[in-house]
Amino acid sequence: MTSREELAAAGALGEVSPEEAAEMNALGMSQDEIYAMEIAAAALAVATVHDAMPPALAARLGGSPQPGARVVTLRTKKTDPWRVIPWIAAAAMLLFALLALLRPWTPSGRSAAEERTKLIASSKDALVVPWTATNDPSGPTASGDVVWSNSAQKGFMRFKGVAPNDPKAKQYQLWIFDAEQDEKFPIDGGVFDVGPQGEVIVPIRAKIDVKKPTMFAVTVEKPGGVVVSKREHIVVLAKTSP
Amino acid sequence: VGCEWLFGGSLTLHAVAENLLFRVASGDPAATRACIDRYGGLVWGIARRFFGGNADAEDAVQEAFLDLWRSAGRYDPKVSSEAVFVALIARRRFIDRRRRTQRRLDTEPLVMDSASTSQSAEQVTEANLAGRALDQLRPEQRQVLLLAACHGMSHEEIAQATGMPLGTVKTHARRGLVAVREILSRGEGERLTGARGASSPPGVQS
């Protein structure tokens, strides 16, 4: 049994195991407890970091070049710095839009990772179940976990070791087995892709309400997914009870 | 006219005007530039420790500042200083980014950098408090905590780098951070007590 404060510290260091996440949930820990530890970690960074930002990066971000800094400028004529602000704003918006396309932003504006942490901390009924790999070629050593809250009807899958897919050739699809549904027809949890990055967090998009989830399974399907899976390629499974 | 109803009665109009993040949240473009000037070194330094001094670090810094612009309105000066809030947002972004990329960092030495930037009085105060907290930890606990909190290394990476058992690394990192949190809380209390009637925070020569 880990102490409440140590669990909060683990959260602030980004090192919470699925078992500890479940423990945090059982203890009813709040986001404020983790936030307090994040403040301590951030204070350590303030204490130990004394770098100067490279002038070129500062200029790229829109900051003022530091005195004496050599900045290579591509402009050939003087420009009123106030005139470039709209361009900087436009560039920032474009960058934000690109980032939004590249990563799984949720409607709240938080990243999927932040939303996942929030769901675990705030939903008393949130399940955190580790994946079991099935030796499928798409992820023989796949790991991670699935988080699901029945009250919020919301969840996230976290994967490590699942092979990147070509969305034009195949996609991954989540299936949620519900005690109140015929097991031949599990609930479609949505299709998703895995990129080359090491760990991915994917929001679950269940097509209908989930009542009593008994198992989560990820299969490999044709692009766009299927209505009924042949279950030929099951990559990972997560049973909610033994 | 005061801003008590907006800011919980704890801030004056002057304090609001001086606070960069409030100005960022209100859409003041000059404040975003000033914020990059003031905290760019801090964010870059943390990014460099997480990702090494490569293009990844530069991309991470850009992401961190975008997060900061979005989060500026949530800053509460009663909970932390501006510098700590900025570092907190940056750490969150970098931890998330590391999870996504899972790239190994080039471990940086834990010595202070010679190419340093000037710091605000607020940052100096925070640094003093946190430095005092670090001094009270055992050397091995301090080493593990710095690698975990400031260099973004996973427990497994720290175990490999230091030769310590994984369980020991986990214990040092967590209990070390808990200890720092307690020491900072006590120090913050002392600072607030000492600040009454004083114009400069402790540790800053005026």
Side-chain angles (χ1 to χ4, degrees):
Chain A
M1 175 74 74
T2 312
S3 82
R4 196 177 181 104
E5 283 188 316
E6 287 177 33
L7 286 171
L13 294 170
E15 290 278 352
V16 179
S17 69
E19 296 76 20
E20 288 170 331
E23 196 179 338
M24 290 167 83
N25 181 48
L27 289 169
M29 288 181 65
S30 71
Q31 199 65 35
D32 286 349
E33 291 173 79
I34 299 170
Y35 190 75
M37 290 296 169
E38 283 187 288
I39 287 175
L44 287 177
V46 172
T48 56
V49 172
H50 305 276
D51 294 30
M53 181 183 266
L57 177 59
R60 185 146 58 96
L61 288 171
S64 308
Q66 291 167 6
R70 286 174 296 171
V71 179
V72 178
T73 177
L74 298 176
R75 292 197 184 88
T76 54
K77 60 181 180 182
K78 278 190 177 179
T79 306
D80 179 356
W82 291 98
R83 291 181 62 189
V84 303
I85 288 170
W87 291 102
I88 292 170
M93 288 175 70
L94 182 60
L95 181 60
F96 178 60
L98 282 171
L99 287 171
L101 285 172
L102 290 171
R103 55 174 304 175
W105 288 105
T106 55
S108 67
R110 296 187 190 91
S111 72
E114 289 165 339
E115 282 285 357
R116 177 184 174 278
T117 306
K118 188 183 170 215
L119 182 67
I120 293 170
S122 62
S123 299
K124 290 196 188 305
D125 67 340
L127 299 164
V128 182
V129 193
W131 291 117
T132 301
T134 61
N135 290 325
D136 185 88
S138 294
T141 60
S143 61
D145 53 40
V146 58
V147 176
W148 177 260
S149 165
N150 244 16
S151 59
Q153 287 294 305
K154 193 173 173 183
F156 295 88
M157 296 173 279
R158 185 167 64 161
F159 299 106
K160 197 173 174 182
V162 172
N165 65 300
D166 175 2
K168 291 177 184 168
K170 63 178 184 181
Q171 284 192 293
Y172 293 105
Q173 188 164 7
L174 171 70
W175 301 97
I176 306 168
F177 291 77
D178 192 323
E180 296 191 7
Q181 296 270 344
D182 186 337
E183 74 166 20
K184 290 177 185 169
F185 303 104
I187 298 166
D188 179 0
V191 296
F192 60 94
D193 301 313
V194 173
Q197 63 269 49
E199 184 175 276
V200 287
I201 297 178
V202 184
I204 293 173
R205 297 184 177 86
K207 299 294 181 285
I208 59 173
D209 274 3
V210 180
K211 304 284 183 356
K212 290 180 184 170
T214 56
M215 186 169 72
F216 297 81
V218 172
T219 60
V220 180
E221 306 292 356
K222 66 182 183 183
V226 294
V227 178
V228 179
S229 174
K230 293 178 182 172
R231 306 183 197 184
E232 291 170 333
H233 291 286
I234 300 173
V235 185
V236 285
L237 295 167
K239 289 185 180 176
T240 60
S241 55
Chain B
V1 178
C3 294
E4 286 81 0
W5 68 275
L6 266 178
F7 299 102
S10 63
L11 295 174
T12 63
L13 196 61
H14 174 71
V16 172
E18 286 299 301
N19 188 301
L20 274 180
L21 292 177
F22 284 137
R23 289 170 52 203
V24 168
S26 69
D28 178 355
T32 60
R33 287 198 304 276
C35 207
I36 291 167
D37 288 346
R38 185 180 295 178
Y39 299 117
L42 174 65
V43 175
W44 165 251
I46 302 171
R48 201 166 65 83
R49 282 157 180 77
F50 270 67
F51 305 104
N54 54 30
D56 230 23
E58 296 194 2
D59 292 345
V61 168
Q62 294 197 11
E63 287 184 9
F65 273 108
L66 283 174
D67 273 359
L68 186 60
W69 306 152
R70 287 195 299 269
S71 308
R74 298 208 305 267
Y75 169 60
D76 182 353
K78 287 177 288 189
V79 176
S80 73
S81 72
E82 231 180 35
V84 166
F85 183 80
V86 171
L88 185 151
I89 295 293
R91 281 191 72 256
R92 274 189 186 172
R93 167 57 47 226
F94 300 160
I95 288 171
D96 185 34
R97 187 180 173 89
R98 278 213 74 202
R99 281 183 183 148
R100 281 185 282 136
T101 59
Q102 285 289 306
R103 286 186 188 166
R104 288 191 167 276
L105 67 160
D106 299 325
T107 306
E108 298 286 335
L110 291 178
V111 294
M112 300 296 187
D113 297 282
S114 55
S116 64
T117 184
S118 60
Q119 296 190 326
S120 67
E122 185 187 56
Q123 274 175 270
V124 171
T125 312
E126 297 287 354
N128 285 344
L129 282 172
R132 197 195 305 171
L134 276 177
D135 286 344
Q136 294 182 38
L137 302 181
R138 295 198 308 277
E140 64 274 18
Q141 200 173 30
R142 181 164 60 235
Q143 181 192 28
V144 167
L145 179 57
L146 284 175
L147 289 173
C150 302
H151 289 239
M153 288 176 75
S154 69
H155 292 345
E156 286 84 0
E157 287 171 329
I158 296 171
Q160 285 172 4
T162 62
M164 290 182 199
L166 183 60
T168 306
V169 168
K170 192 182 281 189
T171 303
H172 279 335
R174 295 175 180 188
R175 292 186 183 167
L177 188 57
V178 170
V180 167
R181 170 67 192 156
E182 287 170 0
I183 296 164
L184 284 177
S185 299
R186 289 202 298 271
E188 186 63 22
E190 287 170 21
R191 189 177 73 143
L192 292 174
T193 308
R196 284 178 196 146
S199 57
S200 300
V204 179
Q205 300 292 323
S206 55

